[in-house]
């Protein structure tokens, strides 16, 4: 069990490392425009991917298409989404989020009943119930945005959760956060491109 937790910690570290590498490789806005003009349309890309990548499941394809991700250009991100789609099925997330692409309408995701901080990573909280909690912001009656917690999955008492299921829950949340970090990076890159002259580095 400790070995599995160590592997999940290592996965978390590798995901953060790869994200940092991705940040360093931020391309110039004009370079992005040049490459995007050469990118095949989703229909052409889908045919190519389906023919050359038999590992792509329908759920994985839906994620790639809805997020406009080219599997060839971003293999790490694609591989992360492939595993996320597998965990989505295993953890029966479709009961609460029938359309897998809607996982990313949420602003954040956490787990109740299991620690995710460095000092308590993977530790269960006895007496607590394990749930995957998604956070969204909705306007109240005065129009102010307020955080709202939504349970995406309930897994019973922490102390009765099987180690393999606990690790799948942790992995699902980590992989969701990894993809969300890419999306946040793209958002801020887009905002920066509006105020930085073309040809200048971020």
């Amino acid at each position: 069990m400790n070995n599995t937790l160590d592997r999940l910690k290592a996965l978390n570290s590798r995901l953060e490392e790869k994200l940092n590498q991705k940040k360093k490789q931020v391309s110039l806005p004009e370079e992005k425009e040049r490459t995007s003009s050469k990118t095949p349309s989703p229909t052409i890309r889908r045919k190519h991917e389906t023919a050359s990548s038999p590992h792509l499941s329908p759920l994985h394809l839906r994620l790639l298409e809805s997020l406009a991700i080219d599997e060839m250009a971003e293999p790490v991100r694609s591989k992360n989404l492939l595993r996320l789609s597998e965990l989505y099925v295993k953890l029966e997330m479709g009961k609460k989020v029938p359309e897998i692409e809607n996982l990313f309408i949420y602003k954040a995701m956490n787990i109740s009943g299991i620690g995710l901080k460095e000092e308590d990573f993977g530790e269960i909280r006895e007496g607590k119930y394990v749930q995957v909690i998604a956070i969204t912001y909705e306007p109240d009656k005065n129009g102010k945005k307020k955080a709202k917690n939504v349970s995406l999955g309930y897994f019973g008492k922490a102390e009765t959760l099987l180690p393999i299921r606990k690790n799948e829950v942790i992995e699902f949340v980590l992989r969701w956060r990894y993809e969300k970090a890419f999306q946040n990076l793209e958002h801020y890159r887009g905002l920066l491109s509006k105020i930085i002259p073309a040809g200048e580095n971020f």
Side-chain angles (χ1 to χ4, degrees), residues 63-197:
L63 281 176
L64 292 178
E65 289 185 353
S66 68
L67 299 171
I69 295 170
D70 185 334
E71 186 206 8
M72 303 303 177
E74 298 190 82
V76 173
R77 196 171 171 190
S78 174
K79 189 175 179 182
N80 182 61
L81 288 172
L82 172 62
R83 180 60 179 154
L84 183 78
S85 66
E86 292 169 352
L87 291 166
Y88 168 88
V89 174
K90 279 188 174 185
L91 299 173
E92 300 181 338
M93 292 293 180
K95 290 180 179 177
K96 292 291 182 76
V97 188
E99 305 295 328
I100 192 170
E101 54 270 33
N102 288 341
L103 282 172
F104 295 101
I105 65 173
Y106 302 108
K107 300 297 183 185
M109 194 175 286
N110 210 343
I111 309 172
S112 66
I114 302 173
L116 280 184
K117 293 180 181 175
E118 188 64 33
E119 61 270 18
D120 66 352
F121 188 85
E123 291 180 14
I124 61 166
R125 295 174 180 143
E126 291 195 11
K128 299 290 184 181
Y129 292 92
V130 175
Q131 292 185 79
V132 172
I133 304 293
I135 297 140
T136 186
Y137 290 90
E138 295 182 2
D140 62 13
K141 59 183 181 182
N142 299 318
K144 290 184 179 179
K145 286 190 175 181
K146 294 190 101 175
K148 180 181 177 183
N149 292 349
V150 181
S151 175
L152 299 189
Y154 171 79
F155 303 97
K157 277 198 171 181
E159 57 266 34
T160 63
L161 194 62
L162 292 174
I164 189 168
R165 180 49 60 102
K166 180 185 77 169
N167 290 336
E168 287 171 347
V169 171
I170 293 172
E171 186 182 355
F172 177 83
V173 172
L174 292 181
R175 290 192 179 278
W176 182 92
R177 287 179 176 182
Y178 188 48
E179 170 55 29
K180 195 68 175 180
F182 272 106
Q183 294 177 26
N184 290 337
L185 183 63
E186 288 176 351
H187 170 70
Y188 287 109
R189 183 191 298 150
L191 291 178
L192 283 168
S193 70
K194 292 179 180 181
I195 58 169
I196 295 177

Side-chain angles (χ1 to χ4, degrees), residues 1-12 14 121:
M1 181 176 158
N2 285 336
N3 288 341
T4 310
L5 281 177
D6 288 341
R7 284 200 300 273
L8 279 170
K9 275 189 177 180
L11 167 68
N12 196 23
R14 284 199 308 273
F121 188 85

